Amino acid sequence: MALTAGIVGLPNVGKSTLFNAITKSQVTSENYPFATIDPNIGVTVVPDERVDTLAAMYEPDNVVYTTFEFTDVAGLVRGASKGEGLGNQFLAHIREVDAICQVVRCFDDPNVTHVDGSVNPVRDIETIQIELIMADIEMIERRLPKIEKKAKLKTEKDVVREFSLLKVIHAHLMDSKPIRSLNLAEDDKKNIKHFNFLTLKPMIYVCNVSEDTISAPYENDYVKAVEEVAIANDSEIVPISAKIEQELSELDDDERDMFLEEMGLTHSGLTDLIHASYQALNLRTFFTAGKKEVRAWTFKKGMKAPACAGVIHSDFEKGFIRAETIAYDDLIEAGSEAAAKRLGNFRLEGKDYVVKDGDVLHFRFSN
């Protein structure tokens, strides 16, 4: 599943530092605006303890976790929708991602400049939201005159529906509200999918906090303020210390565990961010398991067995016969595949089976 989340935010909020930690790559991270212009793309492993448990059970030759793609987009500034700060280029990069992770600064540090002169995460969120809204408004205002005559003639139902829908969305945007907060029917979302509207994309607010507050981030007043905004916008928040995450990314497993314990943490904040991004895009995981390989695969919630087979290889989908299926929990409770079969927990599912998160699948197909 080639889906990606874009890391966005104002300059100097910690985007590139966070991206370095996610991908263990070294992109430019400087204390001035526009240090990053071209988007950097990185792939990271999706942590999943179920993979480790299955690997211990099957003792395979190879273990493969599923992955997720993040794009680091350069810092936006006020006026980006009008081209300020190379804004049009940056907005185009955001348009290409499937979900948005907006990093907001939730710490004070006189040595790190802020593009607006002071730390105010709510203002930063509003700045970016306005720019995204303005970009969507501009797109609609370019489209409406092109279809208005046809819509008034009412000879093409699709055009009439599109015109009506865009007018509703335009009014909503003009009220300074993102499209994602508009209660659109699924068919309507499909009809406007090709516009790639920025404010329709799922939004996750990443609160970049200091090392001193990461052990109790929700006591941070900045984080509390962002949480209120997130609730109002039906979005999630993920508190992270980008600085700590970058330090963690440079340690081996034993050193990481010791460092986390010293910081009073049970796991990396990146784990929360990756899982939040996964959930925002309605992504789920199924597994294939055997002596040769235990592997996690990403699929979209609601996909049926043939389509999931196609995630592995297009030939599997074309020649799909059935899927031998067992729920992860049933397999672990049984203790082995053989025991699960004796207990009757293995099922043969056909083309209409909707795959569930955690299913362990063996696909049968014809060449």
Side-chain angles (χ1 to χ4, degrees):
M1 299 293 295
L3 296 176
T4 182
I7 302 174
V8 306
L10 296 178
N12 302 336
V13 296
K15 300 183 319 305
S16 295
T17 301
L18 181 61
F19 182 80
N20 288 344
I22 289 173
T23 62
K24 296 187 179 180
S25 62
Q26 297 299 313
V27 301
T28 304
S29 179
E30 302 293 345
N31 186 26
Y32 58 86
F34 314 123
T36 308
I37 296 176
D38 293 326
N40 297 281
I41 298 173
V43 178
T44 186
V45 165
V46 177
D48 197 326
E49 293 180 354
R50 295 173 297 181
V51 176
D52 302 324
T53 304
L54 289 172
M57 177 182 290
Y58 285 89
E59 298 181 346
D61 298 330
N62 193 34
V63 177
V64 182
Y65 295 82
T66 191
T67 58
F68 190 77
E69 188 174 287
F70 283 92
T71 300
D72 177 36
V73 181
L76 288 167
V77 294
R78 187 174 287 105
S81 60
K82 302 299 182 183
E84 292 294 328
L86 302 178
N88 289 331
Q89 185 177 347
F90 299 160
L91 290 168
H93 293 153
I94 299 172
R95 207 173 291 284
E96 297 305 312
V97 303
D98 301 287
I100 301 173
C101 298
Q102 182 179 341
V103 182
V104 289
R105 181 172 160 183
C106 294
F107 67 90
D108 293 304
D109 186 341
N111 296 317
V112 180
T113 61
H114 190 288
V115 71
D116 285 330
S118 63
V119 177
N120 185 331
V122 173
R123 179 196 60 207
D124 295 352
I125 288 171
E126 290 174 350
T127 295
I128 288 186
Q129 177 159 293
I130 288 170
E131 297 308 322
L132 301 184
I133 285 174
M134 292 300 294
D136 283 348
I137 288 173
E138 183 180 347
M139 180 172 285
I140 292 176
E141 289 181 348
R142 286 201 307 264
R143 177 61 178 168
L144 285 175
K146 295 178 181 179
I147 62 173
E148 186 173 7
K149 287 184 179 180
K150 282 187 177 181
K152 288 181 176 179
L153 290 173
K154 297 183 179 181
T155 55
E156 298 180 34
K157 290 183 179 179
D158 291 345
V159 175
V160 173
R161 181 55 191 155
E162 180 186 345
F163 186 79
S164 174
L165 184 56
L166 289 181
K167 292 286 283 185
V168 170
I169 293 171
H170 185 268
H172 190 74
L173 290 167
M174 291 298 290
D175 200 23
S176 299
K177 296 176 182 177
I179 300 173
R180 81 180 74 86
S181 67
L182 187 60
N183 190 24
L184 294 175
E186 286 304 314
D187 284 346
D188 289 336
K189 289 180 182 179
K190 289 179 182 178
N191 290 337
I192 61 172
K193 186 178 180 180
H194 62 285
F195 287 105
N196 229 349
F197 285 124
L198 298 173
T199 65
L200 185 58
K201 298 177 188 294
M203 176 72 79
I204 299 167
Y205 298 113
V206 183
C207 298
N208 186 14
V209 302
S210 67
E211 298 170 84
D212 298 334
T213 60
I214 187 58
S215 60
Y218 291 97
E219 295 178 11
N220 180 316
D221 288 339
Y222 291 139
V223 174
K224 290 178 182 177
V226 174
E227 190 173 23
E228 290 183 12
V229 174
I231 291 171
N233 285 279
D234 195 25
S235 298
E236 283 193 65
I237 73 166
V238 178
I240 275 182
S241 170
K243 185 177 179 181
I244 287 179
E245 296 302 331
Q246 186 166 20
E247 291 176 9
L248 284 170
S249 72
E250 298 166 357
L251 304 176
D252 61 31
D253 290 344
D254 290 338
E255 290 173 328
R256 281 169 55 86
D257 291 342
M258 290 177 60
F259 188 82
L260 285 169
E261 187 175 346
E262 289 174 4
M263 298 301 299
L265 304 172
T266 58
H267 60 276
S268 164
L270 291 182
T271 299
D272 293 332
L273 176 58
I274 293 166
H275 287 163
S277 301
Y278 220 62
Q279 290 296 316
L281 290 170
N282 272 327
L283 299 179
R284 301 293 184 266
T285 304
F286 72 84
F287 306 99
T288 52
K291 186 60 182 171
K292 288 186 177 180
E293 182 181 81
V294 165
R295 183 163 185 157
W297 302 88
T298 300
F299 72 101
K300 194 95 170 180
K301 181 182 178 182
M303 284 175 61
K304 294 184 178 180
C308 285
V311 171
I312 299 175
H313 197 288
S314 58
D315 289 346
F316 287 17
E317 182 172 8
K318 292 175 185 176
F320 178 87
I321 298 174
R322 61 181 64 90
E324 195 172 77
T325 310
I326 182 171
Y328 170 84
D329 290 340
D330 290 341
L331 176 57
I332 300 308
E333 185 177 350
S336 70
E337 194 172 299
K341 287 181 177 178
R342 287 196 299 271
L343 291 170
N345 288 328
F346 261 77
R347 311 181 310 277
L348 291 178
E349 301 287 359
K351 293 182 177 181
D352 292 329
Y353 176 67
V354 178
V355 175
K356 298 178 178 60
D357 183 62
D359 277 351
V360 181
L361 302 171
H362 296 278
F363 292 108
R364 298 184 182 181
F365 65 99
S366 59
N367 293 322

